[in-house]
Amino acid sequence: MKFSLDDVKQFTNIELLAKQMVEGFITGLHKSPYHGFSVEFAEHRLYNTGESTRHVDWKIFAKNDRLYTKRYEEETNLRCQIVIDQSSSMYYPEHNYGKMRFSVLAGAALTYLLHKQRDAVGLHTFSDKLELETPVKSSASHIHKLFIQFNSLLEKQKIEKRTNVATILHQLAEKVHRRSLIVIFSDMFDNENNEAEILAALQHLKHKKHEVLLFHVTDHKTEFDFDFEDRPYEFIDSETKERIKLNPAAIKKDFKIQMDSYYKELYLKCAKLKIDLIEADINLGFDQILNSYLIKRRKMA
C-alpha cells in the first residue's frame, strides 16, 4: 500500500495515519525481495550464526522457518533525532504546503516505525533558529506527545521564516551528546548561500560520531525539471520575496543544468563524508523514505 499527499487528506489522526502507512509498507516488504528486514517483530531480531540459542523463539521458527531471538523491552538499539526544516520555502507548493506536509508525515511514519522497533526518538524543527526541541525517549507516552507535535505542525499555517541550515546543524552537533542517527528533512535552500559552511556543519555532525540521513525534499517536477506551462509567470522567492517575471521555457534548459550540477555536487560531498543523501520527491509517496531508513538501519546494525 502506498500513500501520497492526496491520499492522506481524509485523515485527521496522524498517529493512525502513520500506523497505516508503516503497516502497509511492511506488508509490501513481505511480498518483495526485502522481506529479510525484521520490521514486523517489535520484540525479535534475526538470529546471528554463532550466538547462544538460549533466546531463540522456536514458535516463530516453526511458523516461517527463520530463526529470531527475543528482544526485551529495556533494550534500545538506536537513538534517533528527526529534524524538520520549517522555513518558508518548505511550504511550497502553496496550494497544499507540499514539502512541509510531506516532511511531517514522513517524520511521523518513521517515528511509528522506530517505536515499533523499540528505539528512542526525538524531534527538532528549525528555520533560522531551533523552533522545537524534545527529549529522546522510547516510552509510549513520549511517542504520543510526538504525534501531538506532528499534528500541530501539519495544521500550522505558513509563517514567513528564513533559513540558516548551517548554523542549526552546528547547534545540533553540540546539543546531541550521545551518538545518534540524525534524520534531516530539508530542501537545503539556505539564505546564506554558503554551501561550504553547510558541508562544514554536516562534517561537524560526523565528527561527533553521529550517523546522518539527509532527505533532500523537493517537488521534482517544478524544482528540478522546471515543468511549467509555456506562458509567462511571475516567480516569487518564498523567503526573500524577490520577484521575477519570465517564460519558463526560455530558461528551462539552463535551469536544469544548474540544478543537476548543484545536486550532483551536494551528493558527492555528502558521499565523501559518508552521509546518505536521498532525493525525496514529494510526488513519489512515503515508501521511499521508509525503505531508505531501513537500508541505513541495516548498515548500522
Side-chain angles (χ1 to χ4, degrees):
M1 180 185 294
K2 292 186 178 181
F3 288 85
S4 68
L5 286 178
D6 290 333
D7 295 329
V8 303
K9 290 179 181 177
Q10 59 183 307
F11 289 89
T12 56
N13 185 326
I14 195 170
E15 189 168 359
L16 175 62
L17 172 58
K19 179 180 179 180
Q20 292 201 18
M21 289 165 63
V22 170
E23 292 184 352
F25 171 73
I26 291 172
T27 299
L29 282 185
H30 291 171
K31 300 174 181 178
S32 78
Y34 297 101
H35 60 79
F37 288 120
S38 57
V39 293
E40 68 270 37
F41 297 105
E43 298 182 358
H44 296 81
R45 63 174 175 78
L46 280 170
Y47 171 78
N48 293 315
T49 303
E51 70 177 300
S52 171
T53 58
R54 178 182 176 187
H55 298 298
V56 167
D57 191 321
W58 297 108
K59 291 181 180 179
I60 294 292
F61 177 74
K63 288 180 180 179
N64 64 13
D65 200 32
R66 294 175 71 85
L67 289 174
Y68 288 89
T69 55
K70 295 177 182 178
R71 289 176 58 187
Y72 296 94
E73 190 164 354
E74 64 269 17
E75 291 185 34
T76 296
N77 290 339
L78 180 72
R79 294 171 61 85
C80 180
Q81 298 277 359
I82 294 175
V83 184
I84 298 177
D85 182 350
Q86 62 172 132
S87 59
S88 297
S89 64
M90 290 291 287
Y91 287 82
Y92 174 85
E94 290 202 0
H95 73 278
N96 65 355
Y97 294 164
K99 291 192 289 186
M100 187 63 188
R101 284 176 57 83
F102 179 90
S103 299
V104 171
L105 291 167
L110 282 180
T111 295
Y112 181 83
L113 180 54
L114 284 154
H115 182 57
K116 188 176 178 69
Q117 296 181 302
R118 301 192 186 280
D119 292 325
V121 194
L123 174 65
H124 288 72
T125 66
F126 72 93
S127 52
D128 58 350
K129 62 182 180 180
L130 280 171
E131 304 279 350
L132 171 69
E133 301 176 64
T134 77
V136 183
K137 298 180 180 180
S138 58
S139 67
S141 60
H142 173 71
I143 299 302
H144 180 65
K145 290 177 182 177
L146 289 186
F147 281 121
I148 292 174
Q149 294 286 0
F150 282 124
N151 200 63
S152 176
L153 289 170
L154 201 60
E155 295 176 349
K156 202 169 188 178
Q157 295 299 305
K158 178 182 177 182
I159 300 175
E160 301 302 331
K161 295 179 180 179
R162 295 170 69 88
T163 318
N164 196 331
V165 177
T167 297
I168 299 304
L169 296 184
H170 278 301
Q171 289 180 19
L172 283 172
E174 293 300 324
K175 283 177 175 286
V176 181
H177 298 298
R178 294 178 61 182
R179 185 174 184 268
S180 302
L181 171 63
I182 312 292
V183 180
I184 303 168
F185 292 93
S186 175
D187 55 16
M188 300 302 286
F189 293 148
D190 193 291
N191 288 119
E192 303 304 319
N193 195 28
N194 189 344
E195 293 179 27
E197 187 58 30
I198 293 174
L199 290 166
L202 289 169
Q203 188 171 23
H204 190 181
L205 286 169
K206 292 294 294 185
H207 179 72
K208 292 291 186 175
K209 308 300 183 184
H210 301 304
E211 292 294 330
V212 181
L213 187 56
L214 172 56
F215 289 107
H216 187 213
V217 184
T218 66
D219 177 22
H220 197 285
K221 180 180 178 180
T222 58
E223 292 185 306
F224 271 76
D225 292 338
F226 214 54
D227 188 3
F228 293 93
E229 294 178 14
D230 187 10
R231 62 176 177 83
Y233 284 82
E234 181 179 48
F235 291 93
I236 306 171
D237 188 300
S238 59
E239 297 188 14
T240 67
K241 298 307 173 185
E242 182 180 353
R243 296 168 180 261
I244 184 171
K245 294 181 180 180
L246 54 82
N247 188 318
I251 67 165
K252 183 175 182 176
K253 182 178 179 180
D254 290 338
F255 180 89
K256 288 184 66 175
I257 290 173
Q258 288 188 31
M259 288 303 293
D260 287 345
S261 175
Y262 163 76
Y263 180 76
K264 183 177 180 180
E265 184 176 359
L266 183 62
Y267 177 87
L268 291 174
K269 288 181 177 177
C270 283
K272 188 175 181 180
L273 294 173
K274 296 184 179 180
I275 288 173
D276 293 279
L277 173 64
I278 311 297
E279 185 182 344
D281 183 355
I282 65 173
N283 301 297
L284 295 183
F286 301 94
D287 283 8
Q288 58 180 324
I289 305 300
L290 296 172
N291 195 50
S292 297
Y293 159 74
L294 285 181
I295 292 170
K296 179 67 171 179
R297 185 74 169 87
R298 198 177 207 185
K299 290 178 181 177
M300 294 173 63

